[in-house]
Amino acid sequence: MVSNLPKENVWDYPRPPAIEPVQAHLRVIYNDVVLADTTSALRILETGHPPTYYIPPKDVKQEYLKHNTKSTYCEYKGLASYYDFNPPDGQPVVTSRIWSYGNPSGTNGKYGDVKDYFSFYVGPWDCYVNEEKVEAQPGDFYGGWKTKNIEGKVNGGSGAWSL
């Protein structure tokens, strides 16, 4: 599939990261369950990383999510909380592949717009930007979604972190 998005190089993204509205249709699908479906997402762009997408809570099927005790800290956004996904089809629980910021910090409140939005690592579900199925950013530490229009060597990879 040819991407209908403009070319972007990850090394042109800023540091500290930028936040912007997404002009695309995002979906997260597990088997036949649509976990998220939105045209109102935000994305964070950081040097060396494909975009990380944040989906408004109203567009996420939260009945399948359960807050867990895991947390991580981002120097820009603050403390992230993680969620487990309980598949409705009786499959095993998927742990800590979804996160959000309940009280994002940041430069002059810059990241406050992602408050309570959800972000999904790619897998075990499929993630889409418009109709393009995305690839995961290498490694399990970063949650970037790589589409065909994203250019440049991205950070991550073997040894970046393991959930």
Side-chain angles (χ1 to χ4, degrees):
M1 167 180 271
V2 174
S3 179
N4 59 354
L5 301 169
K7 295 286 185 193
E8 298 179 9
N9 189 300
V10 297
W11 294 101
D12 292 336
Y13 294 157
R15 190 164 181 92
I19 183 171
E20 66 181 30
V22 174
Q23 303 297 314
H25 181 203
L26 306 183
R27 291 179 300 136
V28 178
I29 302 172
Y30 178 83
N31 294 337
D32 292 329
V33 178
V34 177
L35 295 176
D37 189 335
T38 191
T39 56
S40 303
L42 298 170
R43 70 181 190 160
I44 293 185
L45 307 173
E46 182 175 0
T47 305
H49 301 272
T52 302
Y53 291 91
Y54 290 84
I55 299 173
K58 69 179 180 56
D59 295 333
V60 175
K61 296 271 180 81
Q62 295 180 56
E63 63 267 26
Y64 300 121
L65 307 185
K66 182 175 184 206
H67 186 260
N68 67 34
T69 59
K70 180 179 176 171
S71 64
T72 56
Y73 184 79
C74 169
E75 66 182 300
Y76 300 110
K77 296 177 293 300
L79 193 64
S81 298
Y82 287 78
Y83 295 81
D84 296 337
F85 168 63
N86 295 288
D89 58 6
Q91 294 293 314
V93 171
V94 177
T95 59
S96 300
R97 301 287 294 165
I98 304 163
W99 74 95
S100 71
Y101 292 92
N103 189 25
S105 57
T107 310
N108 302 323
K110 178 178 181 176
Y111 304 104
D113 288 346
V114 297
K115 179 179 173 36
D116 297 327
Y117 277 43
F118 292 94
S119 194
F120 293 76
Y121 285 100
V122 177
W125 33 73
D126 294 326
C127 301
Y128 296 87
V129 174
N130 292 329
E131 295 303 314
E132 181 182 344
K133 185 176 174 182
V134 305
E135 294 177 26
Q137 179 173 2
D140 281 338
F141 183 71
Y142 305 107
W145 291 13
K146 190 166 186 315
T147 48
K148 289 179 177 36
N149 68 308
I150 301 298
E151 299 176 330
K153 181 171 173 29
V154 300
N155 289 335
S158 179
W161 185 36
S162 179
L163 294 171

